[in-house]
Amino acid sequence: MQRKLTKGELLDGQGRLVEAGWATEEARRYRRAAVKAGWHRIKEWDYYAVLNDRYGFACVVADNGYMGLLNAVWLDFGKPDFIEEGIIIPFPRGRMKLPESADEGDIVQHHPKLDIAFRHAPGGRRITLSYPGFGKGRGMEADLFLAQPAMDRMVIATPFPDAPRAFYYNQKINCMAAEGRVTVGGETFAFEPQASFGVLDWGRGVWTYDNVWYWGSASGMAEGKSFGFNIGYGFGDTSAASENMIFFDGRAHKFDEVRFHLPEGSFTGGPWRFTSNDGRFEMTFEPVVDRHSAVDLKLIRSIQHQVFGRFSGVAVLDDGRRIEVKDLIGFAEEVQNRW
């Protein structure tokens, strides 16, 4: 387990993964033309979440073949509450032109109700959004810069059992210090880089129909250095590598398996626990707000609980150094999908 990816093309001439494994950079190159699956099976998205201890902003651009999505979320951890609104684009079939690399190519989407752009900029990334109808007419405007110095990330190429042309190529870039503003309903909220951090979830792949997964992420500061992590399981065949990784001062520290222990009966009814088989990640998580959604159209079903809250515990680096974490803002989720 924990096979490291070599560099090259992601898929071979039959549309199968050349190799499964993990990396700390974009080692394998995704090309949509190399995919050997129907357009309705291809999933592509860029999702950003930018958080500080008081509030948060998230947005996504997704082209899932038969359904595209432009979506924005505002989170208030003081109330606690969230507002979410989005635009469904029927049957985009790749026309949204999402980039084939996380390191080059911009996303610019113009819709009569919403303008959203993810652009590369010197030293990082820029998110801009204009959504006049957001929050039942309250409106949202966003302009955020996410700093991305030379730093490791989580990269994983995952196959699916009994589906040789299905795969998931995922990159998570944590610990991007965020600076800028988001205006909601005429009130402006500042994001300052010493206390606000963003994560990018970049996904490309061909999925099987029925999946359940668990994902957790947090970014911030610990012992005066940038600190964060990506954890998860349940999606595809992870026998070659898991997606579990700790980030400290720009360097990644790979660990093995993690397990989510959810409270019974409610996603916010008590603390969550996280344990690892190698003892390198032991955390509790105090839920604050559950960003939940449910779509059940029989053939298409998606039940999502992305819970935002605060992590406390210990993460152990490759050299055995123990990093103590206290009330680090982040999220953990359970998602059930049939689509």
Side-chain angles (χ1 to χ4, degrees):
M1 196 172 180
Q2 311 311 329
R3 181 186 306 152
K4 199 162 185 182
L5 293 171
T6 58
K7 292 187 177 182
E9 296 295 317
L10 180 71
L11 304 176
D12 65 15
Q14 287 73 49
R16 305 182 183 198
L17 278 180
V18 174
E19 62 175 346
W22 68 277
T24 58
E25 61 180 343
E26 191 180 275
R28 290 278 167 180
R29 183 61 185 254
Y30 167 80
R31 300 186 191 278
R32 186 181 174 100
V35 174
K36 305 298 183 184
W39 57 265
H40 62 292
R41 302 305 317 155
I42 301 174
K43 316 295 183 187
E44 301 179 331
W45 72 85
D46 284 37
Y47 166 83
Y48 285 92
V50 184
L51 311 176
N52 61 34
D53 200 52
R54 295 170 292 165
Y55 39 77
F57 165 78
C59 56
V60 68
V61 174
D63 183 333
N64 292 322
Y66 53 81
M67 183 185 72
L69 179 63
L70 310 175
N71 192 71
V73 181
W74 179 250
L75 298 139
D76 186 327
F77 301 135
K79 287 187 177 180
D81 198 7
F82 75 97
I83 306 170
E84 179 172 7
E85 248 177 74
I87 306 295
I88 299 294
I89 300 172
F91 303 105
R93 301 181 62 167
R95 291 192 304 271
M96 297 172 75
K97 302 294 184 184
L98 271 63
E100 296 181 326
S101 168
D103 293 329
E104 57 188 44
D106 296 337
I107 295 175
V108 180
Q109 294 290 318
H110 299 293
H111 185 275
K113 296 181 179 180
L114 166 63
D115 285 328
I116 186 169
F118 306 153
R119 294 183 173 93
H120 293 272
R125 301 164 184 268
R126 189 179 180 200
I127 301 169
T128 56
L129 177 141
S130 178
Y131 197 169
F134 180 82
K136 298 181 179 179
R138 295 176 64 190
M140 173 188 277
E141 302 285 331
D143 190 341
L144 294 165
F145 176 77
L146 305 185
Q148 190 184 348
M151 58 198 291
D152 290 343
R153 69 186 71 170
M154 193 291 300
V155 179
I156 189 169
T158 304
F160 288 80
D162 304 317
R165 291 182 176 85
F167 67 92
Y168 182 43
Y169 191 44
N170 185 219
Q171 303 185 51
K172 305 277 179 47
I173 304 178
N174 285 67
C175 301
M176 293 186 286
E179 184 173 12
R181 282 168 173 53
V182 176
T183 300
V184 181
E187 184 176 1
T188 297
F189 302 87
F191 288 81
E192 299 171 346
Q194 64 271 22
S196 305
F197 296 88
V199 60
L200 166 62
D201 173 17
W202 185 95
R204 305 291 187 268
V206 172
W207 296 4
T208 53
Y209 173 65
D210 195 347
N211 294 283
V212 178
W213 71 79
Y214 297 87
W215 175 37
S217 178
S219 297
M221 301 291 290
E223 300 186 6
K225 306 287 186 180
S226 65
F227 171 84
F229 55 81
N230 185 83
I231 54 175
Y233 62 96
F235 198 64
D237 177 5
T238 56
S239 60
S242 69
E243 64 181 88
N244 302 312
M245 199 174 285
I246 300 160
F247 304 97
F248 184 69
D249 196 21
R251 295 291 305 276
H253 301 259
K254 187 76 179 67
F255 68 103
D256 193 22
E257 296 180 2
V258 72
R259 186 63 54 181
F260 290 36
H261 305 274
L262 279 65
E264 291 188 11
S266 170
F267 287 87
T268 57
W272 298 31
R273 289 192 310 112
F274 303 86
T275 59
S276 57
N277 65 336
D278 53 13
R280 292 184 55 187
F281 190 89
E282 305 294 322
M283 296 275 177
T284 59
F285 175 73
E286 291 292 341
V288 175
V289 59
D290 178 9
R291 188 193 71 81
H292 56 86
S293 62
V295 175
D296 192 349
L297 304 176
K298 304 308 178 186
L299 289 177
I300 298 174
R301 183 173 185 263
S302 181
I303 310 297
Q304 303 185 32
H305 289 271
Q306 185 182 32
V307 181
F308 292 80
R310 297 180 174 89
F311 290 89
S312 298
V314 174
V316 180
L317 306 185
D318 289 343
D319 62 2
R321 180 176 176 182
R322 294 168 60 87
I323 304 298
E324 303 282 344
V325 178
K326 179 66 175 176
D327 293 333
L328 179 66
I329 196 72
F331 56 85
E333 69 177 26
E334 179 191 88
V335 178
Q336 303 176 36
N337 265 350
R338 291 178 182 172
W339 62 347

